[in-house]
Amino acid sequence: MNPIDISTASLDFGQDELMTDEQRAIVECDRDIVAVSAFAGTGKTSTLRAFAEARPSRRMLFLAFNRDIVQDARGKMPGNVKVATGHALAFQAIARGWRRDKLQRGPTPLALRDAGVVRTFEQARHVRAAINDWCISDAFEIEAWARGWYTEHAQELAAAGLDEQEFSDAVQRLWRRLVDPNEPLGTHDVYFKLWQLGRPRLDADVVMVDEAQDSNAALLDVLMRQSAQRVIVGDPHQRIYGFRGARDIMRGIERQLHLTHSFRFNGPIAAVVSALLEIFKGESKKVVGAAPWDSRLVVPSRKPGPGTVAWIYRTNAGVFGAAAEMRGARVNVNINDSALDDILDAFLVFDNRSADAKNQLMRRFSDFSQLRDYAEEGGDRELLTRCKIVETYRSDIPRLIKRIRRHRDPEAKVTITTAHRAKGLEWDNVVLGDDFPALMSGGVPAARPWAADEDVLPGEEANLWYVAATRARKSLVINSAIHDFIRWCRDCGALKNVLREAKKPSKI
């Protein structure tokens, strides 16, 4: 193995290109598995670039979570690094010959019932959930896996009218349709699962994985079978795609290195973020604010400072509501066209014009109550959100959608977005929306050991708070929920030292 030379490795943090001790330890590490837990804004990509530059003779594969990260990394990584998503590798190996529309028709409850896979929407919901879990698992035998899944969910499945054999048969029937290249039903996770089942060998000396917290057991199985050195980087507190089946693959790796110095913001924001993670996630390490500029917290009644601004909401309903009230032309409303099409289709059902809907599924509903019942019975949260938007804005929906489509200016200084879509981005100023779940319950944090179990904030909701707050560089305009949490922190002796640090500039 060639010796590691970090003398030419560079880190790009503006004028200061000095490595921190944490970064140097990662670049110099030559373990078979290098696991790095990195807080937001701590220079993950720059550190990985330095890692690659220190090993110019090694063939490297950089696996990213989505295409945006791929595009960004391709412009930053040296020539010895190939950049791709895991799904892109799987597609090339498995799905190039599939019928063109296969990945456009997911296994909706209606499609499963019509295909004879199940008898009811409720059964379809369970079978679809099981297939989703199968696709992201590291299991290899679907029948045994389905029977194990039934054992874990026996009470719910029995209530839906499925015994173990019926459930196992339904899961296998659906799987056969999903993997058939000529059948219309399919998902991207299906060909990824087929790729994992084939035990692929990756053509690289080093495999680097970014955003590991958004990955799953299927990818971990692929990684663990490689003879290449593996560098796995992620932030467990940015795992916000659990509803899509994301799993933090770093959780099972004991020896981890850390990146704690955030070059995005300074003391006040770092202190509040540290308090959030300590109270709601049990995180023992502190986020160190290392930006060379001042950062500040702003109370809800004050305006953000100069520069770019993002209004970040928890839900699409929050974004849509803010967009409905917006004034001025230079605003970027960060909702994709397909989401707007779905909202408009839901409105057409509401307006008794379902025949005009783009989505074939929506044309099947004769009235809005049928649509809402279908969403509730199938547990479809996205569809329920669309229904809520339609019920709120009613006949104004078409006008508002046209207005939002006109305000899609990526160069605008003001952005309205959700926390999910804000992930990986940053702005000078961030304003937190008022639709995030409460942080306090009965005057204490909604976390153990303070609150009752039924009041505890779910971990992924705490992660959304963290993601939203860490998008800010210079000012964070807090909402009333986080204002109450900060006030509790100031009254709590155990956290006074954390908030005292907020008044000090941080240095490496």
Side-chain angles (χ1 to χ4, degrees):
M1 187 173 289
N2 295 326
I4 301 169
D5 179 12
I6 67 170
S7 61
T8 59
S10 65
L11 294 169
D12 182 11
F13 300 121
Q15 296 179 346
D16 184 1
E17 294 189 352
L18 296 176
M19 290 188 191
T20 65
D21 290 341
E22 292 174 332
Q23 291 159 341
R24 186 176 294 275
I26 293 166
V27 173
E28 292 177 344
C29 187
D30 219 22
R31 299 175 193 158
D32 288 342
I33 299 178
V34 182
V36 181
S37 181
F39 288 141
T42 53
K44 293 182 298 178
T45 302
S46 297
T47 305
L48 290 174
R49 184 182 72 233
F51 187 95
E53 289 174 344
R55 298 158 176 81
S57 64
R58 299 185 195 174
R59 296 170 303 128
M60 298 194 179
L61 174 63
F62 182 103
L63 291 180
F65 176 63
N66 59 42
R67 285 176 291 181
D68 291 338
I69 299 174
V70 165
Q71 289 299 111
D72 182 64
R74 280 177 178 162
K76 295 178 178 178
M77 289 294 158
N80 61 320
V81 181
K82 175 184 176 181
V83 183
T85 65
H87 276 79
L89 297 181
F91 180 86
Q92 289 299 315
I94 301 294
R96 283 184 296 175
W98 285 10
R99 57 183 286 175
R100 294 181 62 182
D101 65 341
K102 185 170 178 63
L103 298 175
Q104 298 174 8
R105 293 186 60 189
T108 65
L110 188 60
L112 298 194
R113 192 192 67 178
D114 289 352
V117 174
V118 293
R119 301 185 302 277
T120 69
F121 290 154
E122 179 69 10
Q123 291 175 352
R125 182 171 68 87
H126 290 297
V127 171
R128 184 176 62 174
I131 282 291
N132 289 342
D133 281 357
W134 156 253
C135 286
I136 63 174
S137 75
D138 57 3
F140 278 83
E141 211 290 306
I142 190 168
E143 182 177 2
W145 186 90
R147 292 185 182 279
W149 207 89
Y150 186 92
T151 299
E152 292 181 19
H153 304 84
Q155 187 172 356
E156 299 170 64
L157 292 168
L162 288 168
D163 63 27
E164 182 178 330
Q165 188 62 52
E166 289 174 320
F167 173 74
S168 176
D169 290 345
V171 169
Q172 292 177 77
R173 277 197 300 273
L174 177 56
W175 180 243
R176 286 193 294 270
R177 285 180 174 272
L178 291 172
V179 300
D180 186 336
N182 298 311
E183 282 279 346
L185 295 180
T187 72
H188 292 279
D189 283 343
V190 168
Y191 64 73
F192 190 89
K193 180 63 177 179
L194 288 172
W195 184 60
Q196 177 255 333
L197 291 174
R199 296 178 171 88
R201 288 292 174 184
L202 303 178
D203 185 23
D205 302 316
V206 179
V207 180
M208 298 188 287
V209 180
D210 194 15
E211 302 289 349
Q213 76 281 347
D214 290 326
S215 193
N216 54 52
L219 177 60
L220 181 60
D221 179 71
V222 172
L223 292 175
M224 292 300 103
R225 294 178 184 278
Q226 307 305 311
S227 57
Q229 183 184 24
R230 287 137 293 175
V231 183
I232 302 174
V233 183
D235 183 350
H237 306 302
Q238 291 197 60
R239 190 176 74 83
I240 59 175
Y241 292 103
F243 65 96
R244 293 182 185 171
R247 299 292 184 270
D248 181 10
I249 66 176
M250 295 180 61
R251 185 175 298 176
I253 303 175
E254 292 184 4
R255 297 179 65 191
Q256 295 188 11
L257 300 173
H258 297 270
L259 289 175
T260 61
H261 289 74
S262 180
F263 302 94
R264 182 175 297 156
F265 45 75
N266 215 302
I269 296 176
V272 169
V273 168
S274 292
L276 281 168
L277 294 183
E278 180 177 345
I279 295 300
F280 293 96
K281 299 301 299 296
E283 176 61 65
S284 59
K285 291 188 174 294
K286 299 293 187 289
V287 181
V288 179
W293 49 78
D294 290 333
S295 298
R296 64 193 181 115
L297 299 175
V298 181
V299 296
S301 60
R302 301 289 182 87
K303 293 182 179 181
T308 57
V309 181
W311 294 73
I312 301 181
Y313 291 84
R314 167 63 181 86
T315 64
N316 275 327
V319 171
F320 197 91
E325 302 297 326
M326 67 185 176
R327 299 291 182 270
R330 296 302 302 274
V331 177
N332 182 35
V333 183
N334 193 8
I335 300 182
N336 60 37
D337 285 324
S338 62
L340 292 174
D341 289 341
D342 289 340
I343 293 170
L344 183 58
D345 280 351
F347 167 75
L348 291 171
V349 177
F350 175 85
D351 202 39
N352 298 315
R353 291 187 286 149
S354 58
D356 296 332
K358 287 185 177 181
N359 190 308
Q360 292 182 0
L361 171 64
M362 306 299 271
R363 297 175 195 163
R364 303 284 293 269
F365 300 103
S366 59
D367 60 58
F368 192 72
S369 61
Q370 277 188 352
L371 173 62
R372 188 164 187 86
D373 289 345
Y374 171 80
E376 290 175 349
E377 187 176 348
D380 192 328
R381 292 188 297 177
E382 291 186 11
L383 185 52
L384 284 170
T385 295
R386 288 176 229 149
C387 291
K388 177 182 177 182
I389 291 171
V390 169
E391 290 171 328
T392 301
Y393 295 98
R394 296 176 173 259
S395 60
D396 286 335
I397 291 288
R399 176 181 62 82
L400 292 173
I401 287 178
K402 287 181 181 179
R403 185 181 178 191
I404 290 170
R405 290 191 196 277
R406 291 197 302 268
H407 290 77
R408 307 293 291 281
D409 182 0
E411 302 301 318
K413 286 190 174 183
V414 178
T415 297
I416 304 173
T417 186
T418 63
H420 283 98
R421 292 183 67 83
K423 187 172 177 289
L425 303 175
E426 61 179 46
W427 292 268
D428 293 326
N429 309 279
V430 164
V431 182
L432 296 176
D434 57 5
D435 62 343
F436 284 85
L439 290 170
M440 304 294 289
S441 174
V444 296
R448 295 183 181 90
W450 296 276
D453 287 350
E454 61 270 19
D455 296 327
V456 169
L457 183 73
E460 195 152 313
E461 293 294 338
N463 290 351
L464 281 168
W465 273 106
Y466 166 75
V467 167
T470 55
R471 300 309 96 195
R473 299 172 73 244
K474 296 183 178 179
S475 77
L476 176 65
V477 182
I478 61 177
N479 56 20
S480 58
I482 205 165
H483 181 270
D484 292 342
F485 172 69
I486 291 173
R487 186 163 50 188
W488 178 86
C489 288
R490 285 176 175 161
D491 295 336
C492 178
L495 288 176
K496 280 184 178 178
N497 60 325
V498 175
L499 291 173
R500 190 180 299 119
E501 291 301 313
K503 300 177 182 178
K504 301 178 182 178
S506 298
K507 298 181 180 179
I508 298 174

